[in-house]
Amino acid sequence: MTETQTLLNTGLAQMLKGGVIMDVVNEEQARIAEAAGASAVMALERVPADIRAQGGVARMSDPDLIDSIVSAVSIPVMAKARIGHFVEAQILETLGVDYIDESEVLSPADYVNHIDKSVFQVPFVCGATNLGEALRRITEGASMIRSKGEAGTGDVSEAMRHLRTINSEIRALTAKSEDELYVAAKEIAAPYHLVKQVASLGRLPVVTFVAGGIATPADAAMMMQLGADGVFVGSGIFKSGNPEARAKAIVEATTHFDDPAAVAAASRGLGDAMVGINVADVPAPHRLAERGW
Amino acid sequence: MVRIGVLALQGAFREHLTVLGSLGVETRKVTRAEHLTDLDAVVLPGGESTAMVRIADGTDLFPQLRRRIDEGLPVFGTCAGLILLADHLSDDSLGGYGRLGGLDITVARNAYGRQRESFTAPLTVSGLDESFDGTFIRAPQILDIGSDVEVLASHNGQPVLVRQGHVWGGSFHPELGGDARLHAQFLHHLGAAVQRLSHDSSASADAQRRIRIRR
Protein backbone atom coordinates (compact mmCIF):
# COMPACT_ATOMS: atom_id res chain seq x y z
CA MET A 1 0.00 0.00 0.00
CA THR A 2 1.37 3.45 -0.87
CA GLU A 3 1.86 6.09 1.78
CA THR A 4 -0.89 8.19 0.18
CA GLN A 5 -3.33 5.29 0.28
CA THR A 6 -2.48 4.69 3.93
CA LEU A 7 -3.06 8.37 4.71
CA LEU A 8 -6.46 8.31 2.98
CA ASN A 9 -7.54 5.00 4.54
CA THR A 10 -6.51 5.86 8.08
CA GLY A 11 -7.71 9.43 7.50
CA LEU A 12 -11.34 8.39 7.02
CA ALA A 13 -11.14 6.48 10.30
CA GLN A 14 -9.92 9.71 11.96
CA MET A 15 -13.09 11.41 10.71
CA LEU A 16 -15.31 8.74 12.29
CA LYS A 17 -13.79 9.24 15.74
CA GLY A 18 -15.86 10.33 18.66
CA GLY A 19 -18.79 8.82 16.84
CA VAL A 20 -21.13 5.85 16.80
CA ILE A 21 -21.28 3.39 13.91
CA MET A 22 -24.62 1.62 13.80
CA ASP A 23 -25.69 -1.72 12.30
CA VAL A 24 -28.66 -1.29 9.96
CA VAL A 25 -30.54 -3.87 7.90
CA ASN A 26 -32.65 -1.63 5.65
CA GLU A 27 -33.04 1.93 4.36
CA GLU A 28 -35.43 2.94 7.10
CA GLN A 29 -33.00 1.95 9.85
CA ALA A 30 -30.17 3.68 7.95
CA ARG A 31 -32.16 6.93 7.93
CA ILE A 32 -32.95 6.58 11.63
CA ALA A 33 -29.23 6.06 12.33
CA GLU A 34 -28.22 9.10 10.26
CA ALA A 35 -30.93 11.24 11.88
CA ALA A 36 -29.65 10.20 15.31
CA GLY A 37 -26.15 11.45 14.45
CA ALA A 38 -24.34 8.19 13.61
CA SER A 39 -20.91 8.85 12.09
CA ALA A 40 -21.38 5.85 9.75
CA VAL A 41 -23.66 2.87 9.24
CA MET A 42 -22.86 -0.81 8.82
CA ALA A 43 -25.10 -2.34 6.15
CA LEU A 44 -25.97 -5.97 6.78
CA GLU A 45 -28.79 -8.46 6.33
CA ARG A 46 -29.18 -9.56 9.92
CA VAL A 47 -27.93 -7.94 13.11
CA PRO A 48 -25.66 -10.22 15.17
CA ALA A 49 -28.42 -11.07 17.65
CA ASP A 50 -30.48 -12.55 14.80
CA ILE A 51 -27.49 -14.34 13.29
CA ARG A 52 -26.95 -15.86 16.70
CA ALA A 53 -30.61 -16.80 17.14
CA GLN A 54 -31.20 -18.14 13.64
CA GLY A 55 -27.89 -19.91 13.12
CA GLY A 56 -26.76 -21.11 9.70
CA VAL A 57 -23.96 -19.71 7.56
CA ALA A 58 -23.79 -15.91 7.68
CA ARG A 59 -22.42 -14.28 4.53
CA MET A 60 -21.88 -10.91 2.86
CA SER A 61 -25.16 -9.04 2.30
CA ASP A 62 -27.01 -8.88 -1.00
CA PRO A 63 -25.52 -6.09 -3.20
CA ASP A 64 -29.04 -4.72 -3.75
CA LEU A 65 -29.45 -4.21 -0.02
CA ILE A 66 -26.07 -2.49 0.22
CA ASP A 67 -26.86 -0.27 -2.80
CA SER A 68 -30.17 0.77 -1.25
CA ILE A 69 -28.49 1.77 2.01
CA VAL A 70 -25.66 3.58 0.19
CA SER A 71 -28.22 5.68 -1.66
CA ALA A 72 -30.39 6.28 1.43
CA VAL A 73 -27.80 8.15 3.51
CA SER A 74 -25.04 10.74 3.09
CA ILE A 75 -22.76 9.35 5.82
CA PRO A 76 -20.12 6.66 5.16
CA VAL A 77 -21.41 3.12 4.66
CA MET A 78 -19.51 0.06 5.84
CA ALA A 79 -20.28 -3.55 4.99
CA LYS A 80 -19.04 -6.92 6.21
CA ALA A 81 -17.08 -9.59 4.39
CA ARG A 82 -16.35 -13.02 5.86
CA ILE A 83 -12.90 -13.55 7.35
CA GLY A 84 -10.61 -14.58 4.49
CA HIS A 85 -13.26 -14.10 1.78
CA PHE A 86 -11.34 -11.85 -0.56
CA VAL A 87 -13.94 -12.06 -3.34
CA GLU A 88 -16.68 -10.75 -1.07
CA ALA A 89 -14.27 -7.91 -0.33
CA GLN A 90 -13.72 -7.31 -4.05
CA ILE A 91 -17.49 -7.14 -4.54
CA LEU A 92 -17.90 -4.66 -1.69
CA GLU A 93 -15.12 -2.50 -3.12
CA THR A 94 -16.88 -2.51 -6.50
CA LEU A 95 -20.13 -1.46 -4.83
CA GLY A 96 -18.39 1.65 -3.52
CA VAL A 97 -18.75 1.01 0.21
CA ASP A 98 -16.50 3.32 2.20
CA TYR A 99 -15.11 0.73 4.63
CA ILE A 100 -15.06 -3.08 4.69
CA ASP A 101 -15.38 -4.91 8.00
CA GLU A 102 -13.66 -8.30 7.80
CA SER A 103 -15.86 -9.65 10.50
CA GLU A 104 -16.06 -12.60 12.86
CA VAL A 105 -19.81 -11.98 13.06
CA LEU A 106 -20.09 -13.71 9.67
CA SER A 107 -19.07 -17.34 9.20
CA PRO A 108 -15.34 -17.50 8.42
CA ALA A 109 -14.38 -18.46 4.87
CA ASP A 110 -10.78 -19.30 5.75
CA TYR A 111 -9.67 -20.78 9.05
CA VAL A 112 -5.99 -19.99 8.37
CA ASN A 113 -5.63 -16.73 6.47
CA HIS A 114 -7.27 -13.35 6.66
CA ILE A 115 -7.81 -11.20 3.56
CA ASP A 116 -4.70 -9.50 2.17
CA LYS A 117 -6.13 -6.05 2.73
CA SER A 118 -3.07 -4.24 1.41
CA VAL A 119 -4.05 -4.91 -2.22
CA PHE A 120 -7.38 -3.07 -1.88
CA GLN A 121 -8.06 0.63 -2.33
CA VAL A 122 -10.98 0.63 0.06
CA PRO A 123 -10.01 0.67 3.75
CA PHE A 124 -10.67 -2.22 6.16
CA VAL A 125 -11.61 -2.43 9.82
CA CYS A 126 -10.91 -5.70 11.66
CA GLY A 127 -11.71 -7.08 15.08
CA ALA A 128 -9.15 -7.95 17.73
CA THR A 129 -9.23 -9.43 21.21
CA ASN A 130 -5.61 -8.62 22.08
CA LEU A 131 -2.63 -6.59 20.90
CA GLY A 132 -1.00 -9.34 18.83
CA GLU A 133 -4.21 -9.94 16.89
CA ALA A 134 -4.63 -6.18 16.29
CA LEU A 135 -1.09 -5.84 14.96
CA ARG A 136 -1.43 -8.90 12.71
CA ARG A 137 -4.51 -7.29 11.15
CA ILE A 138 -2.65 -4.00 10.69
CA THR A 139 0.21 -5.90 9.02
CA GLU A 140 -2.31 -7.35 6.56
CA GLY A 141 -3.51 -3.81 5.76
CA ALA A 142 -6.29 -2.96 8.23
CA SER A 143 -6.63 0.83 8.63
CA MET A 144 -8.81 0.69 11.73
CA ILE A 145 -9.22 -1.77 14.61
CA ARG A 146 -12.24 -2.54 16.73
CA SER A 147 -12.07 -4.63 19.86
CA LYS A 148 -14.41 -7.56 19.24
CA GLY A 149 -16.48 -7.96 22.35
CA GLU A 150 -19.16 -10.61 21.95
CA ALA A 151 -21.53 -9.45 19.21
CA GLY A 152 -25.26 -9.92 19.54
CA THR A 153 -25.30 -10.40 23.30
CA GLY A 154 -25.92 -6.92 24.73
CA ASP A 155 -23.39 -8.00 27.39
CA VAL A 156 -20.59 -5.44 27.57
CA SER A 157 -18.20 -7.60 29.60
CA GLU A 158 -16.27 -9.04 26.64
CA ALA A 159 -15.90 -5.63 24.98
CA MET A 160 -14.51 -4.47 28.30
CA ARG A 161 -12.14 -7.43 28.56
CA HIS A 162 -10.78 -7.01 25.03
CA LEU A 163 -10.25 -3.26 25.28
CA ARG A 164 -8.62 -3.61 28.69
CA THR A 165 -6.40 -6.41 27.38
CA ILE A 166 -5.23 -4.35 24.41
CA ASN A 167 -4.64 -1.28 26.58
CA SER A 168 -2.72 -3.15 29.24
CA GLU A 169 -0.56 -5.00 26.69
CA ILE A 170 0.28 -1.62 25.14
CA ARG A 171 1.23 -0.21 28.55
CA ALA A 172 3.44 -3.24 29.18
CA LEU A 173 5.28 -2.62 25.90
CA THR A 174 5.93 1.03 26.72
CA ALA A 175 7.73 -0.09 29.89
CA LYS A 176 10.16 -2.36 28.05
CA SER A 177 13.66 -1.47 26.98
CA GLU A 178 14.38 -1.49 23.24
CA ASP A 179 16.30 -4.75 23.36
CA GLU A 180 13.36 -6.47 25.06
CA LEU A 181 10.99 -5.61 22.22
CA TYR A 182 12.31 -8.39 19.96
CA VAL A 183 11.13 -11.09 22.34
CA ALA A 184 7.92 -9.16 23.03
CA ALA A 185 7.21 -9.20 19.30
CA LYS A 186 7.81 -12.96 19.19
CA GLU A 187 5.57 -13.56 22.20
CA ILE A 188 2.56 -11.73 20.81
CA ALA A 189 3.26 -13.01 17.28
CA ALA A 190 3.38 -9.55 15.73
CA PRO A 191 5.97 -7.86 13.49
CA TYR A 192 8.81 -6.14 15.30
CA HIS A 193 8.44 -2.77 13.54
CA LEU A 194 4.83 -2.44 14.70
CA VAL A 195 5.67 -3.55 18.24
CA LYS A 196 8.38 -0.90 18.33
CA GLN A 197 5.99 1.73 16.99
CA VAL A 198 3.32 0.88 19.57
CA ALA A 199 5.94 1.00 22.35
CA SER A 200 6.92 4.52 21.33
CA LEU A 201 3.39 5.84 20.63
CA GLY A 202 1.75 4.24 23.66
CA ARG A 203 -1.26 3.30 21.55
CA LEU A 204 -2.17 1.50 18.34
CA PRO A 205 -1.01 3.28 15.18
CA VAL A 206 -4.61 3.28 13.86
CA VAL A 207 -7.97 4.44 15.17
CA THR A 208 -9.43 1.97 17.68
CA PHE A 209 -13.17 1.55 18.24
CA VAL A 210 -14.97 -0.92 20.48
CA ALA A 211 -17.72 -3.31 19.47
CA GLY A 212 -19.73 -6.25 20.69
CA GLY A 213 -22.29 -5.89 23.46
CA ILE A 214 -22.73 -2.11 23.71
CA ALA A 215 -26.42 -1.57 24.53
CA THR A 216 -26.77 1.58 26.65
CA PRO A 217 -25.46 5.17 26.77
CA ALA A 218 -23.54 4.18 29.90
CA ASP A 219 -21.85 1.28 28.06
CA ALA A 220 -20.72 3.67 25.33
CA ALA A 221 -19.46 6.32 27.76
CA MET A 222 -17.54 3.71 29.77
CA MET A 223 -15.71 2.52 26.64
CA MET A 224 -14.86 6.12 25.71
CA GLN A 225 -13.52 6.76 29.22
CA LEU A 226 -11.31 3.69 28.79
CA GLY A 227 -9.77 5.32 25.74
CA ALA A 228 -11.82 4.02 22.81
CA ASP A 229 -11.93 6.37 19.80
CA GLY A 230 -15.59 5.54 19.18
CA VAL A 231 -18.14 2.73 19.35
CA PHE A 232 -19.90 0.26 17.10
CA VAL A 233 -23.44 -0.59 18.17
CA GLY A 234 -24.92 -3.63 16.48
CA SER A 235 -28.03 -5.23 17.87
CA GLY A 236 -28.21 -2.81 20.81
CA ILE A 237 -30.21 -0.14 18.98
CA PHE A 238 -32.65 -1.88 16.67
CA LYS A 239 -33.31 -4.74 19.10
CA SER A 240 -34.38 -2.25 21.77
CA GLY A 241 -37.83 -0.85 22.56
CA ASN A 242 -37.26 2.63 21.10
CA PRO A 243 -34.46 2.63 18.48
CA GLU A 244 -34.75 6.35 17.58
CA ALA A 245 -34.37 7.53 21.16
CA ARG A 246 -31.69 4.99 22.04
CA ALA A 247 -29.62 5.74 18.95
CA LYS A 248 -29.66 9.46 19.74
CA ALA A 249 -28.88 8.80 23.41
CA ILE A 250 -25.84 6.64 22.63
CA VAL A 251 -24.52 9.33 20.27
CA GLU A 252 -25.04 11.95 22.98
CA ALA A 253 -23.26 9.81 25.60
CA THR A 254 -20.34 9.16 23.24
CA THR A 255 -19.75 12.89 22.70
CA HIS A 256 -20.20 13.86 26.37
CA PHE A 257 -18.67 10.65 27.76
CA ASP A 258 -16.80 12.42 30.55
CA ASP A 259 -19.85 14.31 31.82
CA PRO A 260 -21.92 11.96 34.06
CA ALA A 261 -24.81 14.44 34.22
CA ALA A 262 -25.05 14.42 30.42
CA VAL A 263 -24.85 10.60 30.29
CA ALA A 264 -27.54 10.43 32.99
CA ALA A 265 -29.77 12.77 31.00
CA ALA A 266 -29.21 10.68 27.88
CA SER A 267 -30.14 7.51 29.77
CA ARG A 268 -33.66 8.67 30.68
CA GLY A 269 -36.84 7.45 29.03
CA LEU A 270 -35.33 5.06 26.52
CA GLY A 271 -37.75 2.18 27.04
CA ASP A 272 -36.48 -1.37 27.14
CA ALA A 273 -32.89 -2.16 26.29
CA MET A 274 -32.29 -5.28 24.20
CA VAL A 275 -32.92 -8.33 26.34
CA GLY A 276 -29.58 -9.84 25.53
CA ILE A 277 -27.80 -12.91 26.73
CA ASN A 278 -25.04 -13.25 29.28
CA VAL A 279 -21.77 -14.20 27.61
CA ALA A 280 -21.23 -16.83 30.31
CA ASP A 281 -24.35 -18.60 29.03
CA VAL A 282 -23.08 -18.75 25.45
CA PRO A 283 -21.43 -22.14 24.87
CA ALA A 284 -17.85 -21.86 23.62
CA PRO A 285 -18.47 -23.02 20.02
CA HIS A 286 -20.93 -20.15 19.59
CA ARG A 287 -18.62 -17.40 20.77
CA LEU A 288 -17.89 -15.21 17.78
CA ALA A 289 -14.87 -13.47 19.28
CA GLU A 290 -12.86 -16.68 19.02
CA ARG A 291 -13.01 -16.49 15.25
CA GLY A 292 -9.86 -14.83 13.91
CA TRP A 293 -6.26 -15.99 14.07
CA MET B 1 -1.36 33.48 25.67
CA VAL B 2 -3.52 32.84 22.65
CA ARG B 3 -6.30 30.36 23.30
CA ILE B 4 -7.89 28.41 20.44
CA GLY B 5 -11.02 26.32 20.81
CA VAL B 6 -11.56 23.22 18.70
CA LEU B 7 -15.12 22.02 18.19
CA ALA B 8 -15.11 18.49 19.66
CA LEU B 9 -18.59 17.09 19.05
CA GLN B 10 -17.27 14.39 16.72
CA GLY B 11 -14.46 13.87 14.21
CA ALA B 12 -10.76 14.64 13.95
CA PHE B 13 -10.54 17.25 16.68
CA ARG B 14 -7.55 15.62 18.39
CA GLU B 15 -5.43 16.12 15.25
CA HIS B 16 -6.19 19.86 15.24
CA LEU B 17 -5.40 20.08 18.96
CA THR B 18 -2.06 18.37 18.32
CA VAL B 19 -1.09 20.66 15.44
CA LEU B 20 -2.15 23.80 17.33
CA GLY B 21 -0.32 22.60 20.44
CA SER B 22 2.84 22.14 18.35
CA LEU B 23 2.58 25.82 17.41
CA GLY B 24 2.68 26.82 21.04
CA VAL B 25 -0.86 28.03 21.60
CA GLU B 26 -3.24 27.00 24.34
CA THR B 27 -6.11 24.82 23.16
CA ARG B 28 -9.50 23.85 24.50
CA LYS B 29 -12.08 21.31 23.40
CA VAL B 30 -15.46 22.90 22.75
CA THR B 31 -18.55 20.77 23.27
CA ARG B 32 -20.81 23.31 25.01
CA ALA B 33 -21.60 27.01 24.73
CA GLU B 34 -19.83 27.81 28.02
CA HIS B 35 -16.54 26.56 26.52
CA LEU B 36 -16.58 29.57 24.15
CA THR B 37 -15.66 32.02 26.90
CA ASP B 38 -12.31 33.80 26.43
CA LEU B 39 -11.38 32.14 23.16
CA ASP B 40 -9.31 34.00 20.56
CA ALA B 41 -10.36 31.77 17.68
CA VAL B 42 -12.18 28.53 16.92
CA VAL B 43 -11.30 25.63 14.62
CA LEU B 44 -14.04 23.38 13.24
CA PRO B 45 -12.61 19.94 12.41
CA GLY B 46 -13.37 17.30 9.82
CA GLY B 47 -15.78 14.52 10.66
CA GLU B 48 -19.38 13.93 9.75
CA SER B 49 -21.30 17.19 9.44
CA THR B 50 -24.60 15.31 9.81
CA ALA B 51 -23.45 13.96 13.17
CA MET B 52 -22.20 17.37 14.33
CA VAL B 53 -25.39 19.29 13.53
CA ARG B 54 -27.55 16.65 15.19
CA ILE B 55 -25.43 16.50 18.33
CA ALA B 56 -25.51 20.30 18.56
CA ASP B 57 -29.25 20.41 17.86
CA GLY B 58 -31.33 21.80 20.72
CA THR B 59 -28.30 23.22 22.55
CA ASP B 60 -27.07 26.78 22.79
CA LEU B 61 -23.69 25.97 21.23
CA PHE B 62 -24.24 26.88 17.57
CA PRO B 63 -26.37 30.01 18.23
CA GLN B 64 -23.70 31.31 20.63
CA LEU B 65 -20.85 30.42 18.28
CA ARG B 66 -22.68 32.06 15.39
CA ARG B 67 -23.07 35.22 17.45
CA ARG B 68 -19.36 35.24 18.32
CA ILE B 69 -18.39 34.74 14.67
CA ASP B 70 -20.69 37.62 13.69
CA GLU B 71 -18.91 39.74 16.28
CA GLY B 72 -15.55 38.95 14.64
CA LEU B 73 -14.25 35.79 16.32
CA PRO B 74 -11.81 34.23 13.82
CA VAL B 75 -12.78 30.72 12.73
CA PHE B 76 -11.24 28.08 10.48
CA GLY B 77 -13.40 25.20 9.24
CA THR B 78 -11.97 22.13 7.50
CA CYS B 79 -14.07 19.64 5.50
CA ALA B 80 -17.14 19.12 7.73
CA GLY B 81 -16.21 22.44 9.35
CA LEU B 82 -16.41 24.12 5.94
CA ILE B 83 -19.93 22.71 5.54
CA LEU B 84 -20.92 24.23 8.89
CA LEU B 85 -19.64 27.64 7.77
CA ALA B 86 -21.13 27.68 4.26
CA ASP B 87 -24.03 30.08 3.84
CA HIS B 88 -25.54 27.78 1.20
CA LEU B 89 -25.60 24.02 0.62
CA SER B 90 -26.44 22.47 -2.74
CA ASP B 91 -28.81 19.91 -1.21
CA ASP B 92 -31.05 19.76 1.85
CA SER B 93 -29.43 16.74 3.54
CA LEU B 94 -28.81 18.89 6.63
CA GLY B 95 -32.20 20.56 6.30
CA GLY B 96 -33.87 21.63 9.49
CA TYR B 97 -30.68 21.64 11.52
CA GLY B 98 -28.88 24.77 12.59
CA ARG B 99 -25.43 25.43 11.13
CA LEU B 100 -23.14 28.42 11.56
CA GLY B 101 -22.75 30.23 8.26
CA GLY B 102 -20.39 33.15 7.81
CA LEU B 103 -18.86 32.18 4.48
CA ASP B 104 -20.71 33.39 1.41
CA ILE B 105 -20.18 30.19 -0.57
CA THR B 106 -22.22 27.28 -1.91
CA VAL B 107 -20.95 23.84 -0.94
CA ALA B 108 -21.89 20.37 -2.18
CA ARG B 109 -21.36 17.64 0.43
CA ASN B 110 -19.28 14.58 -0.59
CA ALA B 111 -19.10 16.00 -4.10
CA TYR B 112 -15.61 14.67 -4.78
CA GLY B 113 -17.08 11.16 -4.34
CA ARG B 114 -17.03 8.24 -1.94
CA GLN B 115 -13.98 6.92 -0.12
CA ARG B 116 -12.53 5.20 -3.22
CA GLU B 117 -12.44 8.66 -4.88
CA SER B 118 -10.57 10.24 -1.96
CA PHE B 119 -7.21 11.71 -3.01
CA THR B 120 -4.28 13.92 -2.13
CA ALA B 121 -3.05 16.82 -4.26
CA PRO B 122 -0.26 19.38 -4.00
CA LEU B 123 -1.84 22.82 -3.59
CA THR B 124 -0.41 26.24 -4.26
CA VAL B 125 -1.58 28.25 -1.29
CA SER B 126 -1.46 32.01 -1.31
CA GLY B 127 1.00 33.10 1.38
CA LEU B 128 2.95 29.81 1.50
CA ASP B 129 6.30 29.56 -0.33
CA GLU B 130 6.08 25.86 -1.08
CA SER B 131 3.12 23.72 -2.06
CA PHE B 132 0.91 22.13 0.60
CA ASP B 133 -0.27 18.51 0.30
CA GLY B 134 -4.04 18.61 0.61
CA THR B 135 -5.80 15.44 1.81
CA PHE B 136 -9.34 15.19 0.41
CA ILE B 137 -11.49 12.53 2.11
CA ARG B 138 -15.10 12.24 0.88
CA ALA B 139 -14.57 15.96 0.53
CA PRO B 140 -17.11 18.72 0.00
CA GLN B 141 -16.81 20.88 -3.11
CA ILE B 142 -17.04 24.66 -3.19
CA LEU B 143 -19.35 25.29 -6.14
CA ASP B 144 -19.75 29.03 -5.94
CA ILE B 145 -18.27 31.96 -4.02
CA GLY B 146 -19.56 35.45 -3.22
CA SER B 147 -17.72 38.62 -4.24
CA ASP B 148 -16.26 39.16 -0.75
CA VAL B 149 -14.65 35.74 -0.65
CA GLU B 150 -10.94 35.44 -1.36
CA VAL B 151 -9.64 32.20 -2.89
CA LEU B 152 -6.41 31.07 -1.20
CA ALA B 153 -6.00 27.78 -3.06
CA SER B 154 -7.66 25.94 -5.94
CA HIS B 155 -7.62 22.44 -7.35
CA ASN B 156 -8.56 21.80 -10.99
CA GLY B 157 -9.91 25.34 -11.20
CA GLN B 158 -12.17 24.98 -8.18
CA PRO B 159 -11.58 26.81 -4.89
CA VAL B 160 -10.53 24.49 -2.05
CA LEU B 161 -9.34 27.08 0.50
CA VAL B 162 -11.16 30.38 0.93
CA ARG B 163 -11.31 33.31 3.31
CA GLN B 164 -13.90 35.97 3.98
CA GLY B 165 -12.37 38.36 6.48
CA HIS B 166 -11.91 36.41 9.70
CA VAL B 167 -13.71 33.30 8.43
CA TRP B 168 -11.53 30.63 6.79
CA GLY B 169 -12.69 27.40 5.18
CA GLY B 170 -11.01 24.48 3.40
CA SER B 171 -12.45 21.39 1.78
CA PHE B 172 -9.38 19.28 2.67
CA HIS B 173 -7.68 18.20 5.92
CA PRO B 174 -4.65 20.32 6.91
CA GLU B 175 -4.72 18.51 10.27
CA LEU B 176 -3.67 15.22 8.64
CA GLY B 177 -0.20 14.73 7.23
CA GLY B 178 1.85 16.55 9.84
CA ASP B 179 2.30 19.91 8.08
CA ALA B 180 1.43 22.79 10.41
CA ARG B 181 2.01 25.67 7.99
CA LEU B 182 -1.65 26.36 7.28
CA HIS B 183 -2.55 26.48 10.94
CA ALA B 184 0.46 28.75 11.45
CA GLN B 185 -0.78 31.05 8.73
CA PHE B 186 -4.21 31.22 10.36
CA LEU B 187 -2.56 32.06 13.68
CA HIS B 188 -0.39 34.73 12.05
CA HIS B 189 -3.57 36.40 10.89
CA LEU B 190 -4.73 36.46 14.48
CA GLY B 191 -1.54 38.30 15.30
CA ALA B 192 -0.71 35.34 17.49
CA ALA B 193 2.74 34.91 18.85
CA VAL B 194 3.55 31.63 17.20
CA GLN B 195 6.44 30.22 19.12
CA ARG B 196 7.63 27.62 16.71
CA LEU B 197 6.80 27.09 13.12
CA SER B 198 5.65 23.92 11.43
CA HIS B 199 7.75 21.19 9.97
CA ASP B 200 10.51 20.66 12.47
CA SER B 201 8.46 20.95 15.65
CA SER B 202 8.26 17.80 17.74
CA ALA B 203 4.49 17.38 17.66
CA SER B 204 4.53 17.77 13.92
CA ALA B 205 7.18 15.07 13.70
CA ASP B 206 4.95 12.88 15.87
CA ALA B 207 2.13 13.37 13.44
CA GLN B 208 4.47 12.40 10.60
CA ARG B 209 5.42 9.21 12.41
CA ARG B 210 1.80 8.32 13.04
CA ILE B 211 0.90 8.17 9.39
CA ARG B 212 3.85 5.96 8.54
CA ILE B 213 2.09 2.85 9.64
CA ARG B 214 3.80 0.33 7.49
CA ARG B 215 6.27 0.88 4.74
Side-chain angles (χ1 to χ4, degrees):
Chain A
M1 209 183 305
T2 65
E3 194 176 343
T4 299
Q5 195 66 53
T6 301
L7 176 65
L8 295 172
N9 288 355
T10 56
L12 178 56
Q14 308 285 8
M15 300 309 138
L16 301 173
K17 279 187 314 190
V20 182
I21 300 171
M22 302 181 190
D23 278 3
V24 297
V25 301
N26 55 43
E27 292 173 54
E28 188 201 350
Q29 290 186 357
R31 289 200 190 92
I32 290 171
E34 183 175 42
S39 64
V41 291
M42 176 77 70
L44 72 179
E45 257 161 13
R46 295 182 287 172
V47 294
D50 288 336
I51 292 174
R52 192 178 283 288
Q54 295 162 8
V57 176
R59 309 178 179 90
M60 179 191 82
S61 299
D62 185 320
D64 283 344
L65 173 85
I66 293 167
D67 282 348
S68 72
I69 290 172
V70 163
S71 50
V73 294
S74 65
I75 54 180
V77 176
M78 299 184 165
K80 289 181 194 290
R82 281 179 267 178
I83 289 174
H85 207 313
F86 49 88
V87 172
E88 285 188 349
Q90 290 164 6
I91 292 170
L92 293 174
E93 182 172 49
T94 305
L95 296 177
V97 304
D98 298 295
Y99 242 92
I100 296 174
D101 182 5
E102 185 182 18
S103 177
E104 71 284 357
V105 167
L106 304 183
S107 306
D110 189 330
Y111 280 88
V112 180
N113 305 289
H114 280 248
I115 297 169
D116 177 4
K117 295 164 274 290
S118 67
V119 301
F120 288 81
Q121 257 207 316
V122 63
F124 280 75
V125 55
C126 287
T129 58
N130 58 50
L131 180 59
E133 196 176 1
L135 296 184
R136 288 194 292 279
R137 297 296 85 80
I138 294 169
T139 312
E140 295 155 0
S143 306
M144 177 177 177
I145 292 293
R146 55 175 174 78
S147 59
K148 284 181 183 170
E150 189 56 40
T153 60
D155 180 348
V156 78
S157 63
E158 286 294 278
M160 171 67 105
R161 190 163 69 89
H162 298 153
L163 185 62
R164 277 200 186 273
T165 300
I166 292 168
N167 285 347
S168 95
E169 287 180 315
I170 290 172
R171 279 193 298 274
L173 277 190
T174 62
K176 288 187 187 296
S177 64
E178 283 221 1
D179 62 349
E180 292 171 332
L181 293 177
Y182 297 99
V183 170
K186 184 192 76 175
E187 282 170 351
I188 64 169
Y192 170 71
H193 74 279
L194 285 179
V195 168
K196 194 175 171 206
Q197 190 184 14
V198 168
S200 90
L201 289 175
R203 55 179 175 72
L204 288 178
V206 300
V207 166
T208 309
F209 271 49
V210 289
I214 316 294
T216 68
D219 290 348
M222 178 170 70
M223 292 306 167
M224 295 299 289
Q225 286 194 26
L226 284 172
D229 288 321
V231 298
F232 282 87
V233 184
S235 321
I237 290 172
F238 290 101
K239 285 290 168 189
S240 75
N242 187 346
E244 287 92 342
R246 186 165 295 266
K248 205 167 185 318
I250 291 177
V251 169
E252 185 81 8
T254 302
T255 292
H256 300 293
F257 67 87
D258 52 1
D259 177 353
V263 179
S267 303
R268 289 177 193 277
L270 300 182
D272 295 333
M274 73 178 281
V275 175
I277 175 170
N278 292 303
V279 171
D281 298 334
V282 179
H286 299 289
R287 292 193 189 169
L288 305 176
E290 288 165 20
R291 297 168 169 178
W293 15 92
Chain B
M1 192 183 208
V2 173
R3 192 181 294 125
I4 314 287
V6 178
L7 185 71
L9 298 176
Q10 188 274 325
F13 50 86
R14 197 168 65 206
E15 286 63 30
H16 276 293
L17 293 166
T18 303
V19 177
L20 290 166
S22 78
L23 295 170
V25 297
E26 196 182 324
T27 57
R28 179 197 290 161
K29 286 197 271 184
V30 174
T31 56
R32 299 193 180 284
E34 56 262 35
H35 301 155
L36 295 171
T37 317
D38 297 331
L39 290 180
D40 299 299
V42 167
V43 170
L44 313 173
E48 286 306 318
S49 55
T50 53
M52 294 180 195
V53 298
R54 274 136 176 138
I55 295 166
D57 188 41
T59 73
D60 209 20
L61 176 58
F62 279 12
Q64 289 288 344
L65 183 50
R66 190 180 307 127
R67 189 178 57 78
R68 293 290 307 277
I69 294 170
D70 288 345
E71 290 168 0
L73 180 73
V75 58
F76 185 10
T78 64
C79 196
L82 172 81
I83 294 168
L84 298 182
L85 290 172
D87 282 344
H88 316 282
L89 294 184
S90 66
D91 65 36
D92 64 350
S93 58
L94 300 184
Y97 291 91
R99 287 181 298 118
L100 298 169
L103 263 180
D104 182 14
I105 58 172
T106 303
V107 163
R109 295 181 58 227
N110 304 332
Y112 284 103
R114 304 194 70 82
Q115 176 61 10
R116 65 182 170 191
E117 282 89 42
S118 292
F119 63 99
T120 63
L123 304 172
T124 303
V125 178
S126 142
L128 295 185
D129 294 339
E130 290 171 31
S131 78
F132 189 96
D133 283 333
T135 304
F136 295 78
I137 296 178
R138 288 173 47 93
Q141 227 171 62
I142 300 174
L143 299 181
D144 199 16
I145 62 170
S147 54
D148 293 338
V149 177
E150 180 188 355
V151 176
L152 300 178
S154 296
H155 175 66
N156 289 344
Q158 256 175 327
V160 293
L161 181 67
V162 296
R163 185 166 84 89
Q164 183 175 357
H166 60 289
V167 183
W168 298 50
S171 50
F172 56 98
H173 293 285
E175 74 277 22
L176 300 180
D179 187 340
R181 287 178 298 155
L182 218 45
H183 289 78
Q185 203 187 23
F186 176 64
L187 294 181
H188 276 303
H189 272 259
L190 303 180
V194 181
Q195 294 176 351
R196 286 171 289 153
L197 198 60
S198 78
H199 273 114
D200 51 356
S201 76
S202 59
S204 175
D206 269 353
Q208 290 277 16
R209 271 197 295 278
R210 248 201 327 278
I211 63 169
R212 289 181 193 141
I213 291 168
R214 53 193 170 266
R215 279 211 248 175

